[in-house]
Amino acid sequence: MEDRPPHMKATTTGTSSGTGIGTGGGSGSGVWLRRYQIAPSPRARLVCFPHAGGSASYYVPVSRRLSPELDVLAVQYPSRQDRRHEPCVEDIGALADRIIPELLPLADRPLALFGHSMGAAVAFETVRRLEERGVAPAVLFESSRPSPSSVRDEFLHRSGDRALITEMQRLDATDAGILEDPELLEMILPILRGDYKAVETYRCRPPDAAVDCPVVVLFGDEDPQATHEECLRWKNHTRGRFDMHVFEGGHFYLNSHAEAVMRIVAERIRQ
């Protein structure tokens, strides 16, 4: 989330320079969470979930902007950056299941979750699991993602590489130079395909599942992947307060409205 889009060049290639957080739960190895700034006495923790093809470093600017008031953590999915040798997890529920043990020991402070696109689905399922275990997140931010009850029958993950590339161009989801680099494409496309499989096969069970925590929805008014009606239905998936913010732009509206988005996040958590 930067003033200039970091996109996949900053999120799927290279290595992550953040500190891994070993919690003693799950793998205990600290591979799931990254902390890029130290917050000695934060009022709350903000856990950020990347989009399809994205990685933890996409949220470095968020950490710089909101620390030290908030302890900003970013989830690092398998198969990218320093986890590039691990297989992709192609199921939203399985991702949430594996993240939960890493978050439970961090609930000594209020937890807020922010997910963009695919990350929004993972964040929602993570909140459901936290609440089942007696942890009450302070707020859930859902960005550029239709509600769980807004099901689309899509099968892009079964298509050829050209279809995936075309979709990335349509969503402005990566730099043009990457799409023209055969070596980078060879590395990126399997990640994208696995993530798209996770998103396209995700079905919330039950379809009308709701969380207790407040939900804040953010999206772009020209986003082909999350319409106004689909985003408005998020109000049916919370028993708490519901707020919605619409920005000019498409699926990656937040790259052009980073400061406004982070201001909303910070102010909502302060409340």
Side-chain angles (χ1 to χ4, degrees):
M1 189 186 299
E2 299 176 297
D3 294 334
R4 293 184 178 274
H7 298 319
M8 291 167 50
K9 184 175 183 179
T11 57
T12 60
T13 61
T15 59
S16 173
S17 58
T19 302
I21 303 169
T23 64
S27 64
S29 62
V31 296
W32 281 96
L33 299 173
R34 298 289 175 273
R35 178 184 282 122
Y36 295 101
Q37 303 286 330
I38 299 299
S41 300
R43 68 166 64 231
R45 291 195 166 97
L46 174 65
V47 184
C48 302
F49 295 73
H51 52 281
S55 60
S57 60
Y58 183 76
Y59 291 105
V60 167
V62 179
S63 180
R64 291 173 179 165
R65 168 66 173 78
L66 299 183
S67 297
E69 179 180 358
L70 302 177
D71 182 18
V72 180
L73 310 173
V75 175
Q76 185 75 300
Y77 305 136
S79 79
R80 55 217 79 196
Q81 291 187 332
D82 53 345
R83 303 189 70 183
R84 61 189 177 278
H85 299 301
E86 300 178 46
C88 193
V89 178
E90 300 176 344
D91 181 271
I92 297 295
L95 275 171
D97 287 338
R98 294 175 66 178
I99 292 166
I100 282 294
E102 309 298 331
L103 292 184
L104 289 175
L106 301 176
D108 58 321
R109 294 183 185 273
L111 280 178
L113 286 74
F114 182 103
H116 179 67
S117 194
M118 182 185 86
V122 183
F124 177 70
E125 290 296 333
T126 300
V127 168
R128 293 181 67 190
R129 287 156 173 76
L130 286 172
E131 291 184 344
E132 289 172 356
R133 290 161 175 78
V135 176
V139 60
L140 169 63
F141 299 94
E142 295 289 78
S143 172
S144 295
R145 176 70 190 173
S147 76
S149 55
S150 302
V151 177
R152 294 186 178 193
D153 291 323
E154 297 176 318
F155 307 96
L156 186 63
H157 69 280
R158 300 180 185 175
S159 303
D161 291 347
R162 176 47 55 185
L164 280 173
I165 294 172
T166 299
E167 179 69 1
M168 294 303 98
Q169 293 171 329
R170 184 174 76 101
L171 298 179
D172 190 26
T174 189
D175 296 326
I178 292 180
L179 299 179
E180 298 171 359
D181 188 318
E183 292 186 4
L184 287 177
L185 277 177
E186 184 179 0
M187 177 173 58
I188 291 170
L189 286 174
I191 299 172
L192 282 173
R193 192 176 302 282
D195 286 354
Y196 266 82
K197 180 179 179 181
V199 171
E200 293 177 340
T201 60
Y202 168 64
R203 297 294 182 269
C204 181
R205 298 288 186 267
D208 60 349
V211 295
D212 293 322
C213 78
V215 170
V216 178
V217 172
L218 311 96
F219 67 99
D221 60 2
E222 298 179 359
D223 187 354
Q225 295 297 100
T227 68
H228 187 282
E229 181 180 357
E230 289 174 323
C231 290
L232 185 60
R233 291 185 191 136
W234 272 105
K235 68 181 180 180
N236 300 321
H237 295 275
T238 176
R239 289 178 284 271
R241 174 177 167 181
F242 174 79
D243 295 288
M244 190 165 74
H245 300 270
V246 186
F247 296 85
E248 292 183 356
H251 196 62
F252 283 90
Y253 74 90
L254 69 177
N255 290 328
S256 300
H257 301 280
E259 184 60 32
V261 171
M262 287 187 278
R263 185 167 56 250
I264 289 171
V265 169
E267 290 177 354
R268 189 67 183 84
I269 293 175
R270 291 189 193 110
Q271 295 174 11

